[in-house]
């Protein structure tokens, strides 16, 4: 039997995502009510610019006083889609204190202060859901923390930023340089006017922290994630990747150590074989590859951003939280019982592709090989080409630690025959 008294929802933010949340709540009201067991009522919408026309939203619901809205006491669920750290953090904790559960799409806040927010939710016996914080419409957080709760996840490898994937895909398929591809992404609306958060990996790093924490039942903060941007990736790097049967993606990689005693989380450009499922992810799409003991290899794919896709994830959480509310229970909270240490990047082991500019004369390859051997880095393949006294030397290693590779490169730079290190890129997915 459906309850006639509605569940009241407060919406914090009514931009691209928030307006879609309000629209879906209205247009799908009957279906949502049937799925939840009670109707939803949009009880208030907090915005910064109240004079803006918002189609389908009663102007009487619009307020600039978000703090008063979350303190009302009759709100069942607060949906936070304003982003940033403050005032979002204070508004969320205040909502818990005044009896509301929270659905958020705020990746930066969850990555930085997820533990404190979960503690606040627990203290007030309320729910905190944030499926929309990672990979837009793609169901990922719920499968990791619920569907795979009985399994052991060992690795999460993914493309979690559509802007960077669009740029790298354009460089790969058209031969464009980085700036040209970025300009195209901006013109098409895939890149912000200031793309720093995307192209320097900050956005992906926040998502990696969230994924690693859930996958490994360990608190992983944003500061624990090693981050490298993709602005230095060149057309020459793509040419080298193609010679290896690879392409280049900006990857978020969360791994459990082979001995199970620690975890790592990192974001950086990497070459991946064309045979890997992530290599075929085109345009602004996202995809995440999960490897676990029992389930094996799973891949989640779909649109990772945009108003409607992100709103879909928000509404999914809203339905779940409202069902919990009606049933008098709660969904899963933070699971950090494993408390595994997060290893520094220097201990991460992977393969490397190193491109060197060297003198074109006898003995150079022997000198370079000696430096690799002295630092305990095994060489897999070497390719050399050049003329007129200058040459290019490409070395692909077997698996080595980041620290060992760093020492190797530092020693290579001291060789008289090495003119410079053109590029260094990790090779993943093998």
């Amino acid at each position: 039997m459906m309850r006639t008294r509605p569940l009241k929802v407060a919406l914090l933010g009514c931009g691209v995502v928030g307006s879609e949340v309000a629209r879906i709540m209205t247009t799908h009201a009957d279906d949502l009510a049937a799925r939840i067991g009670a109707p939803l009522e949009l009880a208030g919408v907090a915005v910064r610019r109240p004079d803006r026309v918002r189609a389908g939203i009663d102007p009487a619901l619009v307020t600039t006083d978000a703090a008063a809205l979350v303190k009302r006491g009759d709100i069942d669920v607060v949906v936070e889609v304003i982003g940033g750290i403050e005032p979002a953090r204070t508004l969320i904790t205040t909502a818990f204190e005044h009896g509301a559960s929270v659905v958020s799409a705020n990746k930066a806040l969850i990555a930085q202060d997820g533990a404190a927010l979960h503690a606040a939710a627990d203290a007030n016996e309320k729910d905190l859901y944030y499926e929309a914080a990672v990979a837009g419409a793609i169901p990922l957080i719920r499968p990791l923390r619920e569907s795979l709760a009985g399994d052991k996840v060992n690795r999460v490898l993914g493309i979690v930023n559509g802007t960077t994937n669009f740029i790298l895909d354009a460089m790969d398929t058209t031969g464009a340089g980085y700036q040209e591809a970025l300009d195209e992404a901006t013109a098409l609306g895939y890149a912000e006017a200031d793309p720093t958060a995307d192209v320097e990996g900050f956005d992906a790093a926040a998502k990696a922290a969230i994924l690693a924490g859930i996958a490994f039942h360990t608190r992983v903060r944003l500061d624990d994630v090693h981050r490298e941007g993709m602005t230095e990736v060149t057309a020459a790097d793509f040419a080298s990747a193609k010679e290896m049967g690879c392409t280049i993606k900006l990857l978020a990689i969360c791994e459990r150590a082979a001995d199970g005693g620690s975890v790592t989380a990192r974001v950086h450009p990497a070459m991946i074989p064309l045979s890997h499922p992530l290599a075929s992810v085109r345009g602004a799409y996202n995809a995440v590859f999960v490897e676990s003991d029992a389930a094996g290899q799973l891949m989640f794919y779909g649109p990772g951003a945009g108003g409607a896709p992100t709103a879909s994830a928000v509404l999914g959480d809203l339905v779940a939280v409202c069902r919990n509310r009606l049933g008098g229970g709660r969904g899963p909270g933070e699971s950090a019982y494993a408390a595994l240490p997060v290893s520094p990047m220097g201990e991460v082991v992977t393969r490397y592709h190193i491109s060197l500019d060297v003198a074109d004369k006898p003995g150079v390859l022997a000198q370079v090989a000696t430096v690799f051997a002295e630092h305990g880095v095994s060489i897999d393949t070497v390719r050399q080409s050049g003329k007129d006294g200058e040459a290019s030397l490409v070395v692909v290693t077997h698996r080595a630690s980041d620290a060992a590779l760093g020492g190797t490169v530092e020693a290579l730079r001291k060789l008289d025959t090495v003119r410079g290190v053109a590029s260094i890129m990790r090779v993943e997915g093998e």
Side-chain angles (χ1 to χ4, degrees):
M1 180 180 295
M2 183 179 297
R3 192 180 81 166
T4 57
R5 183 168 63 83
L7 291 163
K8 294 188 177 183
V9 179
L11 181 60
L12 306 184
C14 197
V16 173
V17 176
S19 59
E20 281 295 307
V21 170
R23 181 189 67 79
I24 295 171
M25 283 182 62
T26 301
T27 58
H28 296 176
D30 291 342
D31 284 339
L32 290 171
R35 294 166 191 171
I36 292 168
L40 295 179
E41 176 187 332
L42 186 59
V45 181
V47 299
R48 285 181 294 181
R49 292 181 286 274
D51 53 340
R52 179 178 295 177
V53 176
R54 295 175 172 84
I57 295 178
D58 183 352
L61 297 178
V62 177
T63 178
T64 57
D65 195 345
L69 179 59
V70 299
K71 289 178 180 177
R72 275 179 36 174
D74 64 335
I75 300 298
D76 293 289
V77 185
V78 169
V79 174
E80 183 272 311
V81 288
I82 57 178
I85 305 302
E86 287 291 358
R89 174 170 48 198
T90 298
L91 292 171
I92 288 174
T93 54
T94 301
F96 290 141
E97 292 165 358
H98 286 78
S101 290
V102 174
V103 172
S104 176
N106 196 332
K107 55 186 172 289
L109 179 58
I110 301 300
Q112 179 172 309
D113 289 321
L117 294 177
H118 274 293
D122 288 343
N124 293 280
E125 298 184 339
K126 297 296 178 287
D127 277 329
L128 172 63
Y129 277 49
Y130 42 88
E131 183 68 64
V134 180
I138 304 172
L140 187 57
I141 289 177
R142 191 171 287 112
L144 279 174
R145 73 178 185 178
E146 296 182 32
S147 303
L148 294 174
D151 205 344
K152 179 184 178 183
V153 176
N154 297 310
R155 194 175 197 222
V156 180
L157 172 76
I159 298 164
V160 294
N161 183 277
T163 299
T164 56
N165 199 58
F166 180 90
I167 293 170
L168 292 173
D169 186 40
M171 293 176 70
D172 185 24
T173 56
T174 69
Y178 166 75
Q179 189 59 50
E180 184 182 353
L182 172 59
D183 290 343
E184 181 185 4
T186 303
L188 293 173
Y190 291 119
E192 302 286 347
D194 180 1
T196 302
D198 294 323
V199 300
E200 293 295 350
F202 290 100
D203 175 85
K207 296 169 182 176
I210 295 170
L211 292 175
I214 295 170
F216 306 133
H217 304 278
T218 292
R219 287 178 179 170
V220 180
R221 288 172 50 89
L222 182 57
D223 292 345
D224 294 322
V225 181
H226 174 82
R227 176 194 55 79
E228 298 173 26
M230 47 156 283
T231 58
E232 301 301 317
V233 176
T234 66
D237 291 326
F238 273 100
S240 293
K242 287 181 179 179
E243 290 180 356
M244 291 179 58
C246 293
T247 189
I248 299 172
K249 300 291 187 182
L250 184 75
L251 298 178
I253 304 170
C254 312
E255 291 181 307
R256 188 190 299 270
D259 64 4
S262 64
V263 299
T264 59
R266 50 196 164 101
V267 169
H268 54 72
M271 294 182 179
I272 58 172
L274 294 176
S275 58
H276 194 282
L278 291 178
S280 61
V281 179
R282 321 299 295 194
Y285 276 73
N286 284 193
V288 177
F289 203 71
V290 177
E291 300 175 10
S292 68
D293 276 0
Q297 297 178 331
L298 307 170
M299 183 165 162
F300 301 84
Y301 170 85
T310 305
S312 171
V314 170
L315 265 296
D317 278 352
L318 181 59
V319 168
V321 169
C322 287
R323 286 172 174 169
N324 293 342
R325 191 92 173 182
L326 287 180
R330 295 175 58 205
E334 182 189 33
S335 175
Y337 74 90
L340 296 171
V342 182
S343 297
M345 188 62 189
E347 297 178 11
V348 170
V349 176
T350 188
R351 297 181 67 204
Y352 289 88
H353 176 283
I354 305 102
S355 180
L356 305 171
D357 295 325
V358 299
D360 187 15
K361 63 181 185 181
V364 173
L365 179 56
Q367 286 183 326
V368 169
T370 297
V371 170
F372 275 88
E374 289 174 346
H375 289 80
V377 179
S378 176
I379 294 175
D380 183 16
T381 61
V382 177
R383 186 175 67 255
Q384 185 173 7
S385 61
K387 61 180 179 179
D388 299 328
E390 298 296 329
S392 174
L393 188 65
V394 174
V395 179
V396 179
T397 74
H398 288 290
R399 292 174 65 82
S401 73
D402 192 78
L405 197 281
T408 303
V409 172
E410 184 178 348
L412 288 171
R413 295 183 194 275
K414 296 177 181 178
L415 293 178
D416 292 338
T417 51
V418 175
R419 309 290 192 230
V421 180
S423 69
I424 303 171
M425 192 166 296
R426 297 173 182 87
V427 182
E428 300 284 350
E430 295 185 316

